[in-house]
Amino acid sequence: MAAGSRGVNYHWNWGILLEPSPDGQGTYLDMLLGGLRWTIVTALCAWVVALVFGSAIGVLRTLQSRTAQWVAGAYVELFRNIPLLVQLFLWFFVVPELLPREWGIWIKQLRYGAFYTAVVAIGLYMSSRVATQVSAGISALPKGQRMAGTAIGLTPAQTYRYILLPMAYRIVLPPLTSEFLNTIKNTSVALTIGLMELTGAARSMQEFSFQVFEAFTAATVIYLLLNAIVTFGMRALERRLAVPGFNAAR
Amino acid sequence: MRTARLLLAGCLAAAFSLPAAIPASAQELTGTLKKIKDTGAITIGYRESSVPFSYLDDNQKPVGFAMDICAKIVDAVKSNLKLDKLEVKYNPVTSATRIPLIANGTVDLECGSTTNNVERQKQVGFTNTHFLTASRFVSKKASNIKSIADLKGKTVVSTAGTTNIKQVTEANAAKSLNINVVPAKDHAEAFLMVETDRAVAFVMDDILLASLVAGSKDPSAYVISEDAFSLPEPYGIMLRRDDPPFKAVADGATAALYKSPEIQTIYTKWFQSPIPPKSLNLNVPLGAELKKAFATPTDSGDPAAY
Amino acid sequence: MFSDFDFGVILRSLPYLFKEGMTFTLTLTAVATVGGVILGTLIAMIRLSSLPVLPKIAAGYVNVMRALPLVLVIFLFYFLMPYIGQWALRADQPIQVGALSSTIITFTLFEAAYFSEIMRAGIQSIPRGQVAAGYAIGLTYRQVMSYVVLPQAFRNMLPVIFTQTIVLFQDTSLVYVLSITDFLGAASKIAQRDGRLAEMYLFAAAVYFLISFTASMLVKRLQRRLAVAR
């Protein structure tokens, strides 16, 4: 597949990465790195949303109340069974139209509307997965821990806050790592609503420079590096926070 | 390496029963013509919403001015290759995918609203010009935007992969307008961003803007700018570069059509009569420059040549 | 707020949505699942084998695929596939690969990475004693695999494979970026043509939900039955 091999008429030009891009912000490489920045910022913000909502729903799932369990179950099924792209379109195109007019206009004219929408949509989508992990983590804890909390006079909220959740997070850190990696990858779906994240930047670079494979190969390499760095960092964290006797299976 | 190649070849050939691996027929055909002869099929790339050039009608079938022109090219290819039957396949393309898909052989002819310019001619070929249009923007009358300068600091949408988005990006950088340029997948989606107030303006070729406005729920709510981002630029049917025999057939077919009275009929059909899906009449008369381009067909990508 | 909803637009477009859109979506899902499971099983077997080099390559393939966003892979492969075909067939120009074939190959290659992880876990879940027993009664590697290990691995992993298939079914909506008429593509084309975004996207969401939810309920049932049978 190398250039020059018989017949494969694609003209490689890696120098394109260092040529100026039409946005006047620097080279094409800068454009890709700008995309990387959006990918990282979007993924981190969406991850915060996912953790907050996912933990709340995950806790609901482990409560005694039937209603709480049903609500949490419905939430998880709702966000898990609709494709992310469809959810993104609902948040972007449909929700503002259903709100009172002034609110809708205000939302739509936010300068970084695509970014906020992506954070909400991807965050909530991932929260259903986080919820599953968190409730699994809590359920994996010995019953005695909950009882111990009650015994020393903690309210249920305090028991969750100080005993169950900290332990649960440590137990499910490895699956959460992979959900975070999924969040990073899922940010690419937001190119459909105009977010210039890394894949979107690569697509733009291809359109402006016509160097398809340089653009997508460079983006691929950046994704692989990002993935490697996050994995490396999280493994270190996992080792530090591992609960003896719980993570052996992973 | 050899085994891998053979294995892959076997898989691919089995998967698509492609006759491409079979040695060429005795004729001296090359490139696209050879491929069409070998496979008995030609693939046309069409657009979702380039009204009235190439778009989906009420039955979601691709139709339009450029599609009619391409039908003539297909006829010419068929008679040139002396084929009894030529299957026409249709493959959807977007502004962002059309150039790579022409280059990589997925589509043979791209029939739509593709601007022919010198830069693109380094990547792909174009046959004779079938329209001339300048890059402008549409906005809501209510937003009271008169000039390019008024776009300063606003969110502006354009279709990904077009010359227009490049022009607005470059103007943005050159004039430090601080415009938030948002790419959309296709023209309909981009227009929707203006309709729903996601963006204040949509930068695109004025003919496409005119047809989008005409087809909108409330055409009187929109205005197309006087200010232009470019001189009128030519549209061409796109084909692969460095394929002179195929281009010769396409050029011959289009030149014959453009010089004949038939082009006026086809033009009237799409620009001065009610068109599907909403039976709108765009009412765009044939301008002097385009008339000249039809009389003396050219594939020049230089706006000054028109 | 729902007062100006036009449900007629959904009704009128049903034939197009399902005959064209859903057919594409389901075909892609089915073929890519079968292809992905087969290729994934092969990759898993290579990774667990004691062959030289190949396990490393297989592992590299899986890790790379799993690190990349599907949207990127969809774009890249749509553009790249004809050149690979050209190289493989030694043709003098890129090989034409249609939209359906291209997306099928893309999803098969992409999902194979995920299916291979499932099958690897499945194969590893079979006690080594069974393999040893197979060899002891004189079976070859191929026989041990095809009569002892793979059937059980496959059976154990069936719920996980189906769950991944549901994910795949949802992921097929991403071919939207190529303007292909899958179910979502069909819905969005109608939505944009008639300016009926809310109706069409809500309807699309409801259809995806019903199919995925029903399927995942069935998977849960299967899981329980398999658990009892074990």
Side-chain angles (χ1 to χ4, degrees), chain B residues 12 15-16 18 35 43 89 91 101 104-107, chain C residues 77-86 89 94-106:
Chain B
L12 283 173
F16 309 110
L18 282 168
K35 190 179 84 175
T43 306
K89 294 185 192 167
N91 199 91
L101 292 184
N104 77 10
T106 304
V107 299
Chain C
F77 279 21
Y78 198 35
F79 300 146
L80 186 63
M81 208 87 69
Y83 294 103
I84 296 178
Q86 177 185 16
L89 297 168
I95 299 304
Q96 192 166 30
V97 186
L100 178 63
S101 314
S102 181
T103 46
I104 284 178
I105 299 173
T106 304

Side-chain angles (χ1 to χ4, degrees), chain C residues 20-180:
Chain C
E20 293 221 11
M22 193 48 93
T23 307
F24 184 98
T25 297
L26 292 180
T27 309
L28 177 55
T29 306
V31 180
T33 301
V34 173
V37 168
I38 294 173
L39 186 59
T41 308
L42 281 175
I43 294 172
M45 282 165 61
I46 292 173
R47 284 192 74 175
L48 294 171
S49 73
S50 47
L51 296 165
V53 196
L54 280 179
K56 285 228 165 65
I57 296 176
Y61 175 83
V62 171
N63 291 332
V64 167
M65 279 299 182
R66 281 164 37 103
L68 296 179
L70 181 51
V71 180
L72 178 86
V73 178
I74 288 175
F75 273 122
L76 181 59
F77 279 21
Y78 198 35
F79 300 146
L80 186 63
M81 208 87 69
Y83 294 103
I84 296 178
Q86 177 185 16
W87 169 77
L89 297 168
R90 287 173 179 270
D92 49 9
Q93 51 185 319
I95 299 304
Q96 192 166 30
V97 186
L100 178 63
S101 314
S102 181
T103 46
I104 284 178
I105 299 173
T106 304
F107 275 82
T108 301
L109 293 176
F110 186 80
E111 296 294 333
Y114 290 83
F115 283 123
S116 86
E117 289 294 271
I118 296 171
M119 288 310 293
R120 193 162 68 115
I123 294 172
Q124 284 176 323
S125 73
I126 308 302
R128 294 204 62 81
Q130 291 199 13
V131 179
Y135 286 133
I137 60 169
L139 297 183
T140 63
Y141 171 76
R142 185 188 290 257
Q143 288 168 324
V144 169
M145 271 296 164
S146 47
Y147 297 126
V148 181
V149 178
L150 286 182
Q152 296 186 76
F154 196 73
R155 186 173 167 283
N156 292 352
M157 287 296 133
L158 211 49
V160 193
I161 288 174
F162 281 135
T163 304
Q164 182 65 27
T165 304
I166 298 171
V167 174
L168 170 55
F169 167 70
Q170 294 186 21
D171 281 349
T172 58
S173 63
L174 294 175
V175 301
Y176 167 88
V177 296
L178 302 177
S179 242
I180 288 172

